[in-house]
Amino acid sequence: MTKINSSLHSSRRKSRKSHFSAPSSVRRVIMSAPLNKELREKYNVRSIPIRKDDEVMITRGSNKGREAKVTSVYRLKYLVHLERVSREKSNGQSVPIGIHPSKCVITKLKLDKDREDILARIKEGRLIKAKGKET
């Protein structure tokens, strides 16, 4: 069997090393979250890197089904912190719970010029790919 993507390592050791020593720009792409059905149909895009002020719904864990706004994207830990998703410490202090972006679904995008360009670029690529399959 040949390797599908020659730019990625199939070795567990090297894959883990590249994952945990990835630069911030690569971590942004790894921290992509899927879009919900409505947004997926609207933009013809399956997932997009998560950012602050996006609104998400948690799909896994004890907070499953909760909708919240992203307050911070913690790239170093591969986590996002959400509004009102926190736990109490023993001294009564509230601490945000970190959730991995793949365990969330984006329900509302914070759109700016750059994000619209990204969505348009992905959509264009999909349309070209679809035309190629038709012929």
Side-chain angles (χ1 to χ4, degrees), residues 14-124:
K14 290 178 182 177
S15 295
R16 285 179 58 82
K17 185 178 194 303
S18 65
H19 178 80
F20 292 110
S21 63
S24 184
S25 58
V26 175
R27 285 175 185 245
R28 176 182 164 272
V29 178
I30 293 170
M31 292 180 71
S32 291
L35 301 178
N36 68 356
K37 285 201 171 79
E38 295 86 50
L39 290 174
R40 203 181 301 170
E41 286 167 13
K42 184 179 178 184
Y43 297 111
N44 197 16
V45 173
R46 188 170 183 83
S47 68
I48 194 164
I50 204 160
R51 66 165 285 181
K52 190 177 173 181
D53 296 330
D54 280 347
E55 287 183 24
V56 299
M57 187 177 82
I58 303 169
T59 56
R60 291 284 182 272
S62 56
N63 292 304
K64 182 178 180 175
R66 285 180 70 177
E67 290 203 35
K69 196 177 196 178
V70 177
T71 54
S72 71
V73 178
Y74 203 152
R75 286 190 191 167
L76 193 69
K77 289 186 175 181
Y78 287 108
L79 296 171
V80 291
H81 292 141
L82 307 174
E83 219 171 63
R84 297 182 306 279
V85 179
S86 57
R87 62 184 292 263
E88 294 287 317
K89 281 170 62 172
S90 57
N91 64 3
Q93 193 178 358
S94 183
V95 185
I97 296 173
I99 292 161
H100 195 274
S102 67
K103 306 304 173 200
C104 301
V105 170
I106 298 174
T107 55
K108 190 177 175 196
L109 288 167
K110 166 125 180 12
L111 285 175
D112 58 3
K113 186 79 179 85
D114 293 331
R115 210 119 189 252
E116 285 170 3
D117 291 346
I118 291 167
L119 289 167
R121 193 170 65 228
I122 296 170
K123 192 173 188 174
E124 248 174 58

